[in-house]
């Protein structure tokens, strides 16, 4: 292959020998070295001297040649070298290059051997360290599993103890519930007497159905009996609800205990696993699956919350039982006191009827005067509302006319602002006056209804005296003096 455009190789300068050359002639000392040609570069190539071999790269300026009967010429043109010879000269390396290559291979082999030895030593240390780390991690995991089993056992004992106390409390609460239901039925006997007395007073008509002292005491007596009866039934219902809550807490404790048993079995099985166990296997990627839903703090908090919830339920049950016992004691005392207070109120009521009648007459006159003043106020409010309509029309008409101003003349100037403010103010005034008018009309209606009631009451006052003195007091003399309460099992 020919190298076109490359530099020419150097050649020896000297006379051409007529005979064959047996040995190289001695050269002059300290010759001057210089380039014998100017290189030519192909387009796209820069300096080619970088890849040119050192052999025959530079030639001497003067060189002597021994020849028979002739001297060396001072300047000779270098002979032309064929492309094949030029290629052979460029493909050769010097001994120095050869030595460097061998030394490089030897040093590379030694470096590779040293690196392999160092890597083998590091690998042995790495295997020892990892084996020790694996054993330590297994021991740590075993200790953690043992601690976990201890924690599970502790919470199991706490849950079992709390569950037993909760079951005992449920039995006691059920007995209190049955007693409350029995006493609620026993209160029907005195309640019927009080209701009959109240029924007779319900025959009053008009304003005499007012809640006077007699009515209040009678209603208080009936309400007391009904309230006690209702309180007992409500308390029984609350106890029933509390028992359901207790059962929910019991279910939570039992479910937590069941989960603790399952977890204890699984962790015990994991604790007994060894490297020589038969049931171990690979589960690739299992460490990437996080199926946990709690951490140790939340796990302990869950059981603690269940126990605290159960304790709260037991505390609520104890409070309900104490409340039921207090209700039993209060009922037997208040019922008889209220019966006496109601009789005293009847006697006082009969003496006060005449005075009450006079007061009702006075109240009727005042009511008529108030009705007259209210009607005058309604008339004034209506006139005031009508007087505000014209200013509102003027302001709204001005605003409507100003909306027809052309182009940039539609300016939000001070008149525009004042007009808008005027419309809003007048409209608010009208709304306020109309609201006050409706309130005044409602008041007038109330006064008219009050007047009708007062007139009707004054007409039936005699009937009221007859009911209170003859029928009600006659009935209450036969009120039973004893009641068999608090004897329910």
């Amino acid at each position: 292959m020919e190298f076109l455009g490359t530099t020419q190789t150097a050649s020896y300068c000297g006379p051409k020998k007529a005979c064959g050359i047996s040995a190289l002639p001695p050269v002059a000392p300290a010759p001057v070295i210089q380039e014998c040609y100017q290189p030519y570069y192909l387009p796209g190539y820069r300096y080619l001297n970088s890849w040119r071999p050192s052999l025959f790269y530079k030639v001497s300026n003067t060189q002597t040649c021994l020849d028979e009967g002739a001297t060396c010429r001072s300047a000779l043109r270098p002979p032309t070298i064929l492309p094949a010879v030029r290629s052979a000269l460029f493909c050769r390396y010097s001994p120095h290059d050869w030595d460097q290559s061998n030394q490089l291979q030897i040093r590379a082999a030694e470096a590779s051997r040293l690196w392999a030895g160092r890597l083998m030593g590091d690998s042995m240390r790495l295997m020892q360290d990892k084996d020790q780390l694996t054993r330590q991690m297994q021991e740590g995991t075993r200790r953690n599993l043992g601690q976990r089993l201890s924690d599970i056992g502790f919470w199991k004992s706490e849950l079992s103890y709390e569950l037993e106390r909760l079951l005992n409390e449920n039995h006691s609460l059920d007995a209190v519930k049955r007693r409350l239901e029995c006493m609620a039925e026993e209160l029907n006997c005195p309640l019927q007497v009080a209701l009959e007395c109240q029924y007779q007073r319900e025959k009053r008509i008009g304003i005499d159905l007012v809640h006077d002292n007699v009515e209040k005491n009678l209603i208080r007596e009936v309400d007391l009996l009904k309230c006690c009866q209702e309180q007992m039934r409500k308390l029984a219902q609350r106890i029933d609800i509390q028992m359901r809550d207790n059962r929910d807490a019991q279910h939570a404790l039992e479910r937590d205990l069941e989960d603790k048993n399952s977890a204890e079995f699984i962790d015990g099985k994991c604790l007994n696993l060894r490297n020589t166990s038969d049931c171990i296997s690979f589960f690739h990627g299992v460490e990437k699956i996080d199926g946990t839903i709690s951490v140790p703090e939340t796990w302990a908090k869950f059981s603690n919350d269940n126990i605290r919830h159960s304790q709260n339920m037991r505390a609520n049950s104890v409070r309900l039982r104490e409340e039921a016992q207090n209700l039993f004691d209060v009922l037997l005392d208040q019922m008889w006191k209220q019966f006496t207070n109601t009789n005293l109120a009847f006697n006082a009521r009969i003496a006060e009827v005449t005075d009450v009648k006079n007061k009702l007459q006075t109240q009727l006159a005042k009511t008529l005067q108030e009705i007259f003043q209210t009607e005058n106020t309604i008339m004034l409010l209506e006139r005031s509302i009508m007087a505000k309509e014209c200013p509102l029309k003027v302001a709204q008409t001005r605003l409507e006319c100003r909306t027809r101003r052309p182009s940039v003349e539609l300016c939000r100037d001070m008149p525009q602002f004042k007009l808008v403010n005027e419309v809003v103010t007048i409209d608010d005034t009208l709304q306020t006056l109309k609201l006050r008018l409706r309130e005044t009309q409602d008041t007038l209606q109330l006064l008219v209804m009050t007047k009708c009631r007062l007139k009707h009451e004054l007409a039936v006052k005699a009937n009221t005296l007859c009911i209170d003195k003859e029928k009600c007091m006659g009935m209450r003399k036969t009120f039973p003096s004893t009641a068999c309460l608090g004897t329910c099992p």
Side-chain angles (χ1 to χ4, degrees), residues 27-33 60-62:
V27 296
V32 180
I33 306 302
S60 60
N61 187 19
T62 60

Side-chain angles (χ1 to χ4, degrees), residues 403-419:
T403 57
R404 293 195 294 270
R405 290 177 295 171
S407 184
V408 75
E409 296 300 327
L410 285 169
C411 177
R412 189 174 178 83
D413 50 7
M414 185 57 66
Q416 182 76 12
F417 177 77
K418 291 296 183 179
L419 283 173

Side-chain angles (χ1 to χ4, degrees), residues 6 14 49 96 332 468 478:
T6 59
N49 296 338
H96 179 68
L332 296 176
D468 289 342
T478 60

Side-chain angles (χ1 to χ4, degrees), residues 22-281:
S22 61
L24 291 174
V27 296
V32 180
I33 306 302
Q34 65 181 2
E35 296 280 349
C36 66
Y37 59 88
Q38 293 295 329
Y40 173 73
Y41 302 106
L42 286 175
Y45 292 86
R46 296 186 65 187
Y47 301 99
L48 300 179
N49 296 338
S50 60
W51 54 267
R52 188 166 51 187
S54 61
L55 185 62
F56 296 125
Y57 176 63
K58 294 180 181 181
V59 298
S60 60
N61 187 19
T62 60
Q63 187 174 9
T64 60
C65 295
L66 298 177
D67 196 1
E68 297 178 356
T71 62
C72 295
R73 290 175 295 181
S74 61
L76 292 177
R77 185 178 66 84
T80 304
I81 300 177
L82 297 177
V85 178
R86 188 186 305 119
S87 175
L89 290 177
F90 276 98
C91 292
R92 294 170 184 172
Y93 296 92
S94 67
H96 179 68
D97 295 336
W98 182 78
D99 290 337
Q100 286 184 346
S101 176
N102 292 333
Q103 291 298 326
L104 180 63
Q105 294 297 330
I106 292 171
R107 287 195 299 271
E110 291 179 354
S112 299
R113 182 173 54 79
L114 291 175
W115 171 255
R118 189 160 50 249
L119 181 62
M120 182 177 63
D122 293 341
S123 299
M124 295 300 294
R125 287 191 297 272
L126 179 63
M127 287 187 293
Q128 292 176 0
D129 293 341
K130 295 304 179 183
D131 290 342
Q132 183 179 2
L133 178 62
T134 302
R135 288 193 298 270
Q136 291 177 354
M137 292 182 66
Q138 280 192 342
E139 291 297 329
T141 302
R142 190 175 293 110
R143 286 194 301 270
N144 292 333
L145 286 173
Q147 182 63 35
R148 181 67 172 180
L149 288 173
S150 299
D151 295 340
I152 292 175
F154 168 75
W155 286 112
K156 279 181 59 179
S157 62
E158 294 293 326
L159 290 170
S160 300
Y161 176 72
E162 182 61 30
L163 180 61
E164 182 180 359
R165 297 187 65 182
L166 183 61
L167 291 175
N168 294 333
E169 185 62 32
N170 284 339
H171 292 307
S172 300
L173 198 62
D174 184 61
V176 173
K177 176 187 172 183
R178 291 195 300 268
R179 184 182 177 189
L180 283 171
E181 292 174 348
C182 180
M183 282 197 67
E185 294 297 327
E186 291 294 331
L187 285 178
N188 288 329
C189 181
L191 181 61
Q192 290 297 327
V193 176
L195 288 175
E196 182 65 22
C197 184
Q198 190 177 18
Y199 172 74
Q200 292 296 329
R201 296 199 86 238
E202 285 296 327
K203 294 180 181 180
R204 296 174 302 165
I205 57 176
I207 198 63
D208 274 1
L209 292 174
V210 69
H211 289 282
D212 53 2
N213 193 24
V214 175
E215 186 70 15
K216 289 178 181 179
N217 281 275
L218 189 59
I219 292 176
R220 190 179 295 116
E221 181 180 339
V222 175
D223 288 342
L224 177 63
L225 295 174
K226 286 185 177 181
C227 181
C228 292
Q229 194 175 35
E230 187 67 21
Q231 284 180 0
M232 290 180 183
R233 290 172 181 172
K234 286 184 178 180
L235 187 58
Q237 293 177 358
R238 288 170 57 192
I239 290 176
D240 185 63
I241 295 174
Q242 184 61 44
M243 291 179 66
R244 287 201 297 267
D245 294 338
N246 291 349
R247 285 192 292 270
D248 292 339
Q250 176 185 349
H251 177 68
L253 293 175
E254 292 175 348
R255 182 175 56 189
D256 199 358
L257 274 174
E258 183 180 356
D259 294 341
K260 291 290 186 296
N261 291 328
S262 300
E264 186 178 24
F265 173 77
I266 293 173
D267 287 344
K269 181 179 178 181
C270 293
L271 181 64
N272 294 326
L273 289 177
R274 297 294 185 272
N275 294 335
T276 58
S277 300
D278 296 334
C279 57
I280 60 176
S281 179

